[in-house]
Amino acid sequence: MIGVAGTALMLAGGCAPTPHGAGRLLGRRPLVWLGGLSYGWYLWHWPLLVMAPVALGRADGTADVPLALGLSAAALGLAWSTLRLVENPVRFHRAFTGVLAAPWFSGPRCRPAPRRCP
């Protein structure tokens, strides 16, 4: 119950933007760029962190801090490559954005609900 209450407070607190809130920091160009890569980074980092120590012959199967940081950087590079070479070409291909494709690939057409905060 405490977790639910904490989540509700976090959501309610995010509804009222302030000039000194997290939005100011998260709206910076480098963090927006990183946010665009975050899902790909999430998908790439775990296989690298799990498989690389085993492939390198580490007895306990874990990565020390320098190796983990290097693998995380490699995962970020892979996320960027995947976004540029796979995701964006597929997402923005005209076969998936044309009028004929819209009903099949974009889901139901409806206006988004206005944002209301309690």
Side-chain angles (χ1 to χ4, degrees):
M1 195 61 165
I2 293 173
V4 173
T7 300
L9 289 173
M10 291 294 293
L11 291 173
C15 287
T18 63
H20 304 293
R24 183 175 179 187
L25 176 65
L26 296 175
R28 302 264 187 225
R29 189 183 273 301
L31 292 179
V32 170
W33 176 81
L34 191 61
L37 295 175
S38 63
Y39 186 67
W41 196 10
Y42 162 75
L43 291 176
W44 279 109
H45 90 284
W46 193 246
L48 289 178
L49 288 175
V50 169
M51 289 189 263
V54 173
L56 293 172
R58 304 242 177 186
D60 58 357
T62 61
D64 57 353
V65 173
L67 178 61
L69 290 174
L71 291 172
S72 295
L76 185 62
L78 287 168
W80 180 82
S81 299
T82 303
L83 181 71
R84 295 282 303 213
L85 301 174
V86 178
E87 291 179 43
N88 283 345
V90 171
R91 273 186 2 191
F92 299 118
H93 192 276
R94 65 182 161 100
F96 301 117
T97 58
V99 175
L100 293 176
W104 300 104
F105 295 108
S106 64
R109 298 280 183 175
C110 54
R111 286 187 293 160
R115 183 173 175 202
R116 293 189 183 127
C117 294

